């Protein structure tokens, strides 16, 4: 366990960072470092240059317009939790972020870092995908925008090119009468890693589930949208959503059939499917409850 | 290239030249020498290195030093200015500090919690604190301390709780009091020195090259490139060190200083390097070229025992059976024939690791007279001393072993290790002091954790629940070397007999070598898995015959002054009182069978030796020895004791026993422990021996002092010494306290007239303990503890997740010398065992490589997992112990496994027979019952 020598760069602006990145021979971007430094210490990754993103004010910005909230990729998880915009528009996202690591990890780890590490069990992605979030990636040539659901390629692999920096996560504000919820299953109560996770988003109109998103985590190489689970609930009357109802059982089963989990130290594939089935049903019901609560408030 | 970093630490501005690859942890510890910030895992999982940076808690091991430029940092040294911070005060008073290694990080994290949330609730504290792991306390007292500090900060008066003393402590003035640990203030302020905190002038660092393969012949080793690397001072291989085998138990010395010709597991020690810093060591290790010829390996003990399986040792341990135990007491055939009901089942344990928060560290230094000093984080100064003397061929007097503060052990530091041995050899060859330390991964690979046991257990009972016969077969998965294994194999059998009367008992034990890290002695040594099996099966049998689970235990409960079928002599025993106490306070009779769906309640029991009756090697030395020296003015006593305080609080407990014996108050004593040059030999902290044995030695030394003080006081008061009594720093006439002289005056006068006032004490267990059959020594003890625990759980029947709600515990530890510390032991044992039962397990790949050698994937319970724990110390008095005391440390772990397993079985209507009881196994068990019903 030791860090091999590397050159350290501390750009003050995004354009400086992009310049350094394109000049680096075997460089990596360093955000919070809570994953990167551990992997470097263990010898799993090695870089000759680290370019720090911590000083870039541009990556700390957060703002909104009528339709979207923009969150800088350099915001730490704690900053996301303290963000009034997040709390106001995406409380379920805050709940998911609160379940990332420990307080110490959340105080240094960043939104962008969590997404770029791209672990299958990543806690921030499922809700964001459910919220139709997009990410902006910048290189010297310009900015590219892509749906977050398409950002992940495989476990620990993304579409981000070598010369690109993930700068912003753009989250669309929810349609009225929308409820969101994140369910996570870990093996202990605190500082747990997701063995299965599910984010559910439901929009209710005229007593029907007009729109829905079900995103499943830690049960495939990347967080993924379970279209079959969505199809199982979309368009169905709200009165059909109750514990163990036919629709919910179908949605749980569909999610579990969409998943492609592996066996690892945290659990077997079939176990993950079983838990996913249950968690999907719970996530949908809680999302619906959140939606109703929102309705009673407005 | 180094750059100049400006940081403000604890209000002082520093400019430090820092390389990019230096972490903030290293800047703080190595550059600024603020050693209160601890290195526990170096990977952000344990929280020991927590500091406050710009108002937020961060793991300093995951911050680059260069990135701390311009930041404001607070370490543990910075939160008290002369007076203690309320958190430090509360941690000390509430007993929230044991080994103290997690304490600085814990206090700093707690400070950020209290700074941010004025009205934080207990549940929020539990959840917010989950990034700081503690292995000693079970978090309970830490959470209490934080709540108490919150009150202090808010100016609220803390609630006064009155505690009823035990009957046996009623007339005592020091023993029986809830006193804070003697070392707690140093630990709360980050001043306590652990081995890694020591930096000697001109010191080198050393690292070990570990085998990457599980089983191979070493064809050749080329160290030339490593030796040529700038900064490397020495490289050693098996060819450079004496051909001496060593180990833990003399009949099974089978390890080498460095591998000879062969490696036997991934992690076996192949070479050692010393260099100017650790980074250079690591680079040198990469340059050592080893040519391995891989051999077939075996990882499963059942496979390993088969004919034709790969052999770890060619000339011994046939069929890889390292230890075979064949015990038969009474007549089991007859016993089973007399039974009305017989049930048997197969149980499987798990391979768990002690994971003390402090990694092993050793520093060796030779002096010009050919003496060597080793500072080490150990539980057993004397056994290290003895083993080093064997290996080096030096008399004990030429070796000094010094235990610094030890950040927890639980058995992982209960024997000599590679760091101690190789730092000596590297220091010898280089002529410089050498520090060696394990990383968290290396700790797992060094191993010596719990043997995974495969148990076949059979119990026969009469209709009324009376046990007629017990038969147990245990296969212990031993890993590559013996370590403590021979003893573990005996303990796994011998200790089943101490809780319940059983006239007929047969035990077959097989400890089997496999190509995995060696298994050793982990809290409860060999006994927890058999006890888990026994408590599970006993409850199953109770259900079969329609008997209440507590009633069947009461029916068979051990009684005082009983000789077990395997010749163990039980002295004091309040087991029945423990059972009745937990029945009462858990409201067992109303809860059992009446809980809502998913809830369950279960009982488990346990007990342990109060110190092994015999030493690990044949030795005639008294097991514990004490010297007390009184200051020339009579104001203070210093207790010199060889036994080791590894966080459990033995320095405090032994000092209390000494004070009580002398008749002085606790503020008049300090302790020097576990330094082979200064303190008389003590066998150390293992087999739950220190309270009884060290306590007796300390008490005897105190009485020796008192006798001499009385001699003087009798002259001063002109009364017969036999009429005198000493208490609370006063010597007075029995029945007439007005005729008195101050203790200090009498002691000072003694010194003036007669020279040094010293007292001596020693303790050896009674001779001839136990029977005469082979292995009869293992399980003998001067006294035995007893405990019962009721556990309540809530199980999510759809995911299998278990939430532990409550533990109600009662322990017979004789007189509790310090009830606060006894509670700490119980709470720590509860959470550790719960953690082992629910989530801990080492997982290997097909080639024998450990897949979860870190605290990220090897899960341990966090503060958020901590249940409510209600522990009671029952009235008891053990004649063999000091002031009636016996053990608590290991015995407290033993009831937990069965209680939790039985509670889960009660909740889900099915049983999991293999540890850990993971959600996956719970779901499977539920499913299999559902399938049966279909």
């Amino acid at each position: 366990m030791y860090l091999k020598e590397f050159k350290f760069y501390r750009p003050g602006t995004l354009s400086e960072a992009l310049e350094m990145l394109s000049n680096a021979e075997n460089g990596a971007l360093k955000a919070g470092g809570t994953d990167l430094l551990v992997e470097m210490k263990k010898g799993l990754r090695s870089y000759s240059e680290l370019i720090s993103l911590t000083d870039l004010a541009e990556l700390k910005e957060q703002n909104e317009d009528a339709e979207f909230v923009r969150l800088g990729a350099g915001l730490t998880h704690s900053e996301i939790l303290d963000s009034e915009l997040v709390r106001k528009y995406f409380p379920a996202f805050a709940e998911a972020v609160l379940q990332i690591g420990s307080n110490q990890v959340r105080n240094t780890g960043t939104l962008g870092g969590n997404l770029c590490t791209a672990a299958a069990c990543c806690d921030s992605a499922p809700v964001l995908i459910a919220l139709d979030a997009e990410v902006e990636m910048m290189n010297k040539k310009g900015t590219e925008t892509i749906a977050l659901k398409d950002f992940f390629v495989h476990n620990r692999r993304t579409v981000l090119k070598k010369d690109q920096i993930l700068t912003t996560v753009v989250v669309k504000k929810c349609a009225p009468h929308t409820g969101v919820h994140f369910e996570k299953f870990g093996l202990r109560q605190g500082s747990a890693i997701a063995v299965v996770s599910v984010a559910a988003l439901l929009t209710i109109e005229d007593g029907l589930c007009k729109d829905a998103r079900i995103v499943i985590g830690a049960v495939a190489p990347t967080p993924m949208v379970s279209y079959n689970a969505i199809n199982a609930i979309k368009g169905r009357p709200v009165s059909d959503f109750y514990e163990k109802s036919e629709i919910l059982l179908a949605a749980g089963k569909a999610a579990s059939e969409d998943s492609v989990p592996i066996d690892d130290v945290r659990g077997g594939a079939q176990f993950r499917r079983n838990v996913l089935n249950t968690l999907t049903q719970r996530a949908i019901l809680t999302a619906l409850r959140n939606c109703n609560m929102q309705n009673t408030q407005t | 290239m180094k750059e100049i970093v400006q940081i403000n630490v604890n209000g002082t501005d520093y400019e430090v030249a820092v390389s990019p690859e230096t972490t903030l942890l290293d800047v703080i510890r190595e550059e600024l020498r603020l050693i209160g910030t601890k290195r526990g895992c170096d990977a952000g999982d344990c929280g020991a290195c927590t500091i406050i940076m710009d108002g937020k808690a961060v793991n300093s091991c995951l911050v680059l030093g260069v990135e701390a430029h311009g930041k404001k940092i607070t370490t543990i040294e910075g939160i008290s200015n002369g007076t203690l911070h309320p958190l430090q005060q509360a941690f000390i008073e509430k007993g929230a500090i044991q080994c103290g290694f997690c304490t600085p990080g814990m206090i700093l994290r707690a400070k950020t919690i209290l700074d941010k949330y004025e009205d934080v609730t207990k549940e929020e504290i539990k959840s917010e604190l989950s990034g700081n792991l503690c292995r000693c306390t079970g978090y309970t007292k830490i959470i209490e301390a934080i709540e108490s500090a919150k009150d202090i900060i808010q100016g609220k008066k803390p609630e006064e709780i009155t505690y009823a003393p035990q009957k046996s402590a009623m007339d005592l003035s020091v023993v029986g009091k809830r006193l804070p640990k003697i070392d707690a203030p140093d630990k709360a302020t980050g001043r306590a020195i652990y081995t890694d905190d020591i930096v000697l002038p001109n010191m080198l660092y050393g690292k070990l090259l570990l085998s990457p393969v599980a089983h191979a012949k070493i064809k050749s080793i080329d160290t030339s490139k490593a030796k040529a690397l700038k900064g490397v001072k020495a490289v050693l291989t098996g060819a450079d060190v004496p051909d001496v085998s060593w180990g833990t138990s003399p009949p099974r010395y089978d390890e080498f200083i460095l591998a000879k010709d062969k490696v036997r597991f991934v992690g076996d020690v192949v070479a050692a390097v010393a260099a100017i810093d650790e980074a250079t060591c690591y680079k040198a290790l990469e340059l050592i070229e080893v040519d391995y010829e891989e051999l077939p390996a075996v990882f499963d003990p059942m496979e390993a025992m088969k004919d034709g399986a790969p052999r770890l040792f060619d000339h011994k341990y046939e069929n890889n059976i390292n230890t075979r135990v064949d015990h038969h007491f009474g007549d089991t055939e007859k016993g089973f024939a007399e039974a009305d009901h017989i049930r048997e089942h197969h149980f499987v344990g798990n391979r768990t690791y002690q994971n003390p928060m402090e990694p092993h560290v050793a520093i060796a230094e030779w002096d010009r007279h050919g003496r060597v000093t080793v500072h080490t984080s150990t539980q057993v100064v004397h056994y290290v001393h003895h083993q080093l003397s064997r290996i080096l061929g030096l008399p004990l007097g030429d070796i000094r072993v010094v235990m610094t503060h030890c950040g927890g052990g639980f058995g992982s530091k209960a024997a000599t290790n590679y760091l101690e041995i190789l730092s000596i050899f590297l220091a010898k060859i280089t002529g410089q002091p050498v520090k060696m330390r394990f990383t968290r991964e290396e700790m797992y690979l060094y191993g010596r954790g719990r043997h995974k046991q495969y148990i076949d257990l059979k119990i026969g009972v009469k209709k009324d629940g009376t046990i007629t016969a017990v038969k147990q077969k245990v296969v212990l998965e031993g890993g590559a070397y013996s370590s403590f294994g021979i003893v573990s194999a005996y303990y796994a059998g011998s200790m089943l007999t101490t809780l319940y009367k059983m006239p007929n008992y047969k035990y077959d034990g097989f400890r089997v070598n496999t190509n995995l890290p060696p298994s050793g002695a982990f809290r409860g040594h060999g006994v927890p898995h058999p006890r888990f099996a026994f408590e599970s099966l006993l409850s199953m049998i109770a259900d079969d015959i329609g008997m209440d689970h507590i009633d069947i235990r009461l029916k068979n409960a051990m009684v005082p002054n009983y000789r077990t079928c395997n010749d163990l002599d039980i002295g004091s025993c309040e087991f029945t009182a423990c059972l009745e106490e937990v029945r009462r306070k858990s409201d067992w009779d109303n809860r059992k069978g009446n809980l809502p769906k998913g809830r369950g309640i279960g009982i488990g029991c346990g007990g342990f030796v109060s110190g092994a009756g015999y030493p690990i090697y044949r030795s005639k030395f008294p097991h514990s020895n004490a010297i007390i020296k009184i200051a020339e003015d009579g104001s203070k006593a210093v207790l010199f004791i060889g036994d080791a305080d590894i966080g459990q609080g033995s320095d405090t407990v032994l000092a209390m026993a000494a004070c009580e014996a002398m008749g002085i108050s606790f503020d008049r004593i300090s302790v020097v422990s576990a330094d082979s040059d200064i303190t008389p030999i003590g066998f150390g902290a293992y087999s739950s021996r220190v309270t009884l044995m060290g306590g007796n030695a300390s008490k005897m030394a105190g009485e020796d002092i008192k006798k001499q003080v009385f001699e003087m006081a009798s002259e001063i008061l002109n009364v017969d010494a036999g009429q005198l009594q000493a208490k609370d720093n006063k010597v007075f006439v029995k029945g007439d306290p007005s005729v008195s002289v101050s203790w200090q005056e009498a002691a000072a006068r003694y010194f003036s007239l007669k020279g040094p006032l010293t007292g001596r004490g020693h303790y050896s267990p009674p001779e001839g303990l136990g029977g005469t059959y082979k292995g009869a020594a293992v399980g003998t003890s001067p006294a035995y503890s007893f405990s019962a625990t009721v556990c309540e759980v809530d199980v999510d029947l759809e995911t299998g997740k278990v939430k532990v709600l409550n533990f109600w515990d009662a322990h017979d530890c004789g007189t509790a010398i310090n009830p606060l510390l006894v509670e700490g032991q119980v709470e720590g044992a509860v959470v550790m065992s719960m953690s082992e039962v629910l989530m801990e397990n080492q997982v290997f790949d097909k080639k024998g490589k450990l897949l979860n050698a870190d605290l990220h994937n090897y899960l341990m319970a966090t503060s958020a997992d901590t249940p409510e724990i209600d522990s009671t110390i029952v009235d008891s008095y053990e004649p063999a112990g000091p002031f009636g005391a016996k053990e608590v440390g290991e015995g407290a772990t033993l009831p937990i496994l069965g209680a939790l397993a039985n509670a889960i079985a009660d909740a889900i209507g099915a049983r999991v027979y293999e540890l850990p009881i993971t959600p996956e196994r719970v779901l499977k068990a539920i499913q299999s019952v559902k399938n049966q019903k279909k």
Side-chain angles (χ1 to χ4, degrees), chain A residues 10 30 52 54 104 107 188-189 244 266 282, chain B residues 57 61 66-67 132 796 798 854 857 860 865:
Chain A
R10 198 190 334 240
K30 181 195 163 293
S52 170
T54 16
Q104 286 93 321
N107 284 338
R188 63 181 180 191
Q189 305 289 334
K244 304 280 173 231
R266 295 186 199 112
R282 290 180 185 173
Chain B
C61 72
V66 288
E67 285 191 299
N132 293 73
D796 182 335
E798 291 181 326
D854 54 36
N857 294 297
M860 301 196 314
D865 299 277

mmCIF file of all heavy atoms in Angstrom, chain A residues 10 30 52 54 104 107 188-189 244 266 282, chain B residues 57 61 66-67 132 796 798 854 857 860 865:
data_model
loop_
_atom_site.group_PDB
_atom_site.id
_atom_site.type_symbol
_atom_site.label_atom_id
_atom_site.label_comp_id
_atom_site.label_asym_id
_atom_site.label_seq_id
_atom_site.Cartn_x
_atom_site.Cartn_y
_atom_site.Cartn_z
ATOM 1 N N ARG A 10 -2.370 21.347 -10.564
ATOM 2 C CA ARG A 10 -3.514 21.936 -9.895
ATOM 3 C C ARG A 10 -4.043 23.096 -10.749
ATOM 4 O O ARG A 10 -3.760 24.259 -10.466
ATOM 5 C CB ARG A 10 -3.092 22.447 -8.526
ATOM 6 C CG ARG A 10 -4.247 22.684 -7.595
ATOM 7 C CD ARG A 10 -3.796 23.422 -6.331
ATOM 8 N NE ARG A 10 -2.409 23.216 -6.018
ATOM 9 C CZ ARG A 10 -1.969 22.675 -4.887
ATOM 10 N NH1 ARG A 10 -2.813 22.278 -3.968
ATOM 11 N NH2 ARG A 10 -0.668 22.561 -4.654
ATOM 12 N N LYS A 30 -8.189 13.849 -11.055
ATOM 13 C CA LYS A 30 -8.459 13.486 -9.674
ATOM 14 C C LYS A 30 -9.498 14.435 -9.105
ATOM 15 O O LYS A 30 -9.296 15.636 -9.058
ATOM 16 C CB LYS A 30 -7.186 13.566 -8.826
ATOM 17 C CG LYS A 30 -7.452 13.166 -7.397
ATOM 18 C CD LYS A 30 -6.339 13.569 -6.463
ATOM 19 C CE LYS A 30 -6.831 13.517 -5.033
ATOM 20 N NZ LYS A 30 -7.852 14.541 -4.732
ATOM 21 N N SER A 52 -5.662 17.692 -10.666
ATOM 22 C CA SER A 52 -6.668 17.874 -9.627
ATOM 23 C C SER A 52 -7.803 18.779 -10.099
ATOM 24 O O SER A 52 -7.567 19.818 -10.719
ATOM 25 C CB SER A 52 -6.012 18.488 -8.386
ATOM 26 O OG SER A 52 -7.021 18.867 -7.486
ATOM 27 N N THR A 54 -10.082 19.786 -7.862
ATOM 28 C CA THR A 54 -10.691 20.332 -6.638
ATOM 29 C C THR A 54 -10.771 21.849 -6.609
ATOM 30 O O THR A 54 -11.638 22.415 -5.966
ATOM 31 C CB THR A 54 -9.907 19.861 -5.374
ATOM 32 O OG1 THR A 54 -8.661 19.364 -5.784
ATOM 33 C CG2 THR A 54 -10.657 18.816 -4.625
ATOM 34 N N GLN A 104 -17.238 10.932 6.069
ATOM 35 C CA GLN A 104 -15.903 11.349 5.644
ATOM 36 C C GLN A 104 -15.740 11.195 4.134
ATOM 37 O O GLN A 104 -15.126 12.038 3.478
ATOM 38 C CB GLN A 104 -14.829 10.496 6.350
ATOM 39 C CG GLN A 104 -14.619 10.826 7.822
ATOM 40 C CD GLN A 104 -15.472 9.967 8.743
ATOM 41 O OE1 GLN A 104 -16.633 9.687 8.430
ATOM 42 N NE2 GLN A 104 -14.920 9.556 9.869
ATOM 43 N N ASN A 107 -17.684 13.828 2.332
ATOM 44 C CA ASN A 107 -17.089 15.157 2.429
ATOM 45 C C ASN A 107 -16.001 15.408 1.400
ATOM 46 O O ASN A 107 -15.639 16.550 1.145
ATOM 47 C CB ASN A 107 -16.506 15.380 3.830
ATOM 48 C CG ASN A 107 -17.587 15.657 4.854
ATOM 49 O OD1 ASN A 107 -18.688 16.084 4.488
ATOM 50 N ND2 ASN A 107 -17.299 15.423 6.125
ATOM 51 N N ARG A 188 -24.973 -4.192 5.638
ATOM 52 C CA ARG A 188 -24.987 -3.668 7.000
ATOM 53 C C ARG A 188 -25.719 -2.331 6.988
ATOM 54 O O ARG A 188 -26.034 -1.799 5.929
ATOM 55 C CB ARG A 188 -23.570 -3.572 7.579
ATOM 56 C CG ARG A 188 -22.652 -2.624 6.840
ATOM 57 C CD ARG A 188 -21.243 -2.604 7.458
ATOM 58 N NE ARG A 188 -20.399 -1.682 6.698
ATOM 59 C CZ ARG A 188 -19.081 -1.599 6.838
ATOM 60 N NH1 ARG A 188 -18.455 -2.359 7.691
ATOM 61 N NH2 ARG A 188 -18.379 -0.740 6.121
ATOM 62 N N GLN A 189 -25.923 -1.785 8.189
ATOM 63 C CA GLN A 189 -26.765 -0.589 8.283
ATOM 64 C C GLN A 189 -26.019 0.686 7.889
ATOM 65 O O GLN A 189 -26.608 1.614 7.375
ATOM 66 C CB GLN A 189 -27.306 -0.421 9.704
ATOM 67 C CG GLN A 189 -28.064 -1.612 10.251
ATOM 68 C CD GLN A 189 -29.415 -1.804 9.589
ATOM 69 O OE1 GLN A 189 -29.999 -0.855 9.091
ATOM 70 N NE2 GLN A 189 -29.892 -3.025 9.562
ATOM 71 N N LYS A 244 -48.200 -6.325 -3.017
ATOM 72 C CA LYS A 244 -48.402 -7.650 -3.627
ATOM 73 C C LYS A 244 -49.498 -7.659 -4.693
ATOM 74 O O LYS A 244 -50.066 -8.717 -4.990
ATOM 75 C CB LYS A 244 -48.759 -8.713 -2.562
ATOM 76 C CG LYS A 244 -47.764 -8.841 -1.443
ATOM 77 C CD LYS A 244 -46.579 -9.676 -1.858
ATOM 78 C CE LYS A 244 -45.523 -9.646 -0.777
ATOM 79 N NZ LYS A 244 -44.215 -9.300 -1.260
ATOM 80 N N ARG A 266 -20.381 -10.386 -2.173
ATOM 81 C CA ARG A 266 -21.536 -9.792 -1.485
ATOM 82 C C ARG A 266 -22.834 -10.571 -1.693
ATOM 83 O O ARG A 266 -23.819 -10.309 -1.018
ATOM 84 C CB ARG A 266 -21.738 -8.351 -1.934
ATOM 85 C CG ARG A 266 -20.586 -7.498 -1.508
ATOM 86 C CD ARG A 266 -20.785 -6.038 -1.806
ATOM 87 N NE ARG A 266 -19.479 -5.420 -1.769
ATOM 88 C CZ ARG A 266 -18.844 -4.924 -2.812
ATOM 89 N NH1 ARG A 266 -19.409 -4.891 -3.998
ATOM 90 N NH2 ARG A 266 -17.640 -4.402 -2.683
ATOM 91 N N ARG A 282 -41.173 -2.332 -3.695
ATOM 92 C CA ARG A 282 -41.163 -1.334 -2.619
ATOM 93 C C ARG A 282 -40.860 0.057 -3.156
ATOM 94 O O ARG A 282 -41.454 1.046 -2.713
ATOM 95 C CB ARG A 282 -40.118 -1.716 -1.563
ATOM 96 C CG ARG A 282 -40.532 -2.938 -0.767
ATOM 97 C CD ARG A 282 -39.474 -3.275 0.267
ATOM 98 N NE ARG A 282 -39.828 -4.521 0.935
ATOM 99 C CZ ARG A 282 -39.047 -5.154 1.790
ATOM 100 N NH1 ARG A 282 -37.859 -4.654 2.088
ATOM 101 N NH2 ARG A 282 -39.441 -6.277 2.363
ATOM 102 N N ALA B 57 -15.219 16.563 8.570
ATOM 103 C CA ALA B 57 -14.419 15.376 8.877
ATOM 104 C C ALA B 57 -13.989 14.723 7.574
ATOM 105 O O ALA B 57 -14.810 14.513 6.676
ATOM 106 C CB ALA B 57 -15.256 14.396 9.698
ATOM 107 N N CYS B 61 -6.061 9.787 5.150
ATOM 108 C CA CYS B 61 -5.318 8.858 4.287
ATOM 109 C C CYS B 61 -5.737 8.992 2.838
ATOM 110 O O CYS B 61 -5.060 8.503 1.952
ATOM 111 C CB CYS B 61 -5.512 7.412 4.765
ATOM 112 S SG CYS B 61 -7.154 6.739 4.446
ATOM 113 N N VAL B 66 -0.439 17.725 -0.716
ATOM 114 C CA VAL B 66 -0.380 18.953 -1.531
ATOM 115 C C VAL B 66 -1.755 19.603 -1.657
ATOM 116 O O VAL B 66 -1.857 20.815 -1.859
ATOM 117 C CB VAL B 66 0.186 18.676 -2.943
ATOM 118 C CG1 VAL B 66 1.681 18.397 -2.865
ATOM 119 C CG2 VAL B 66 -0.534 17.520 -3.618
ATOM 120 N N GLU B 67 -2.798 18.809 -1.520
ATOM 121 C CA GLU B 67 -4.142 19.380 -1.651
ATOM 122 C C GLU B 67 -4.641 20.020 -0.362
ATOM 123 O O GLU B 67 -5.713 20.609 -0.331
ATOM 124 C CB GLU B 67 -5.128 18.303 -2.120
ATOM 125 C CG GLU B 67 -4.936 18.007 -3.593
ATOM 126 C CD GLU B 67 -6.054 17.167 -4.160
ATOM 127 O OE1 GLU B 67 -6.243 16.034 -3.688
ATOM 128 O OE2 GLU B 67 -6.741 17.653 -5.069
ATOM 129 N N ASN B 132 -16.579 5.394 11.243
ATOM 130 C CA ASN B 132 -15.506 5.191 12.223
ATOM 131 C C ASN B 132 -15.693 3.839 12.879
ATOM 132 O O ASN B 132 -16.608 3.648 13.677
ATOM 133 C CB ASN B 132 -15.539 6.299 13.292
ATOM 134 C CG ASN B 132 -15.191 7.648 12.713
ATOM 135 O OD1 ASN B 132 -15.983 8.254 11.994
ATOM 136 N ND2 ASN B 132 -13.997 8.110 12.994
ATOM 137 N N ASP B 796 -36.470 -9.055 7.840
ATOM 138 C CA ASP B 796 -37.232 -8.731 6.635
ATOM 139 C C ASP B 796 -37.388 -10.042 5.865
ATOM 140 O O ASP B 796 -36.436 -10.550 5.274
ATOM 141 C CB ASP B 796 -36.449 -7.697 5.824
ATOM 142 C CG ASP B 796 -37.195 -7.256 4.575
ATOM 143 O OD1 ASP B 796 -38.034 -8.032 4.071
ATOM 144 O OD2 ASP B 796 -36.933 -6.135 4.107
ATOM 145 N N GLU B 798 -38.694 -10.820 3.206
ATOM 146 C CA GLU B 798 -38.581 -10.815 1.740
ATOM 147 C C GLU B 798 -37.163 -10.616 1.238
ATOM 148 O O GLU B 798 -36.846 -10.948 0.102
ATOM 149 C CB GLU B 798 -39.499 -9.741 1.169
ATOM 150 C CG GLU B 798 -40.956 -10.129 1.351
ATOM 151 C CD GLU B 798 -41.892 -9.098 0.787
ATOM 152 O OE1 GLU B 798 -41.561 -7.898 0.855
ATOM 153 O OE2 GLU B 798 -42.940 -9.497 0.281
ATOM 154 N N ASP B 854 -9.592 -6.478 3.050
ATOM 155 C CA ASP B 854 -9.652 -5.065 3.426
ATOM 156 C C ASP B 854 -10.923 -4.829 4.235
ATOM 157 O O ASP B 854 -11.700 -5.764 4.455
ATOM 158 C CB ASP B 854 -9.624 -4.158 2.179
ATOM 159 C CG ASP B 854 -10.717 -4.529 1.183
ATOM 160 O OD1 ASP B 854 -11.825 -4.911 1.614
ATOM 161 O OD2 ASP B 854 -10.487 -4.440 -0.036
ATOM 162 N N ASN B 857 -14.539 -4.799 1.844
ATOM 163 C CA ASN B 857 -15.252 -6.004 1.411
ATOM 164 C C ASN B 857 -15.380 -7.055 2.517
ATOM 165 O O ASN B 857 -16.231 -7.927 2.437
ATOM 166 C CB ASN B 857 -14.553 -6.616 0.198
ATOM 167 C CG ASN B 857 -14.643 -5.707 -1.006
ATOM 168 O OD1 ASN B 857 -15.730 -5.429 -1.501
ATOM 169 N ND2 ASN B 857 -13.512 -5.188 -1.446
ATOM 170 N N MET B 860 -17.535 -5.449 8.781
ATOM 171 C CA MET B 860 -17.698 -5.526 10.232
ATOM 172 C C MET B 860 -18.836 -4.584 10.607
ATOM 173 O O MET B 860 -19.103 -3.608 9.914
ATOM 174 C CB MET B 860 -16.436 -5.066 10.947
ATOM 175 C CG MET B 860 -15.214 -5.887 10.590
ATOM 176 S SD MET B 860 -13.842 -5.659 11.749
ATOM 177 C CE MET B 860 -13.759 -3.913 11.960
ATOM 178 N N ASP B 865 -25.186 -0.441 13.174
ATOM 179 C CA ASP B 865 -25.702 -1.806 13.348
ATOM 180 C C ASP B 865 -25.900 -2.171 14.816
ATOM 181 O O ASP B 865 -26.407 -3.242 15.124
ATOM 182 C CB ASP B 865 -24.712 -2.807 12.732
ATOM 183 C CG ASP B 865 -24.529 -2.584 11.247
ATOM 184 O OD1 ASP B 865 -25.359 -3.074 10.480
ATOM 185 O OD2 ASP B 865 -23.585 -1.883 10.856
#
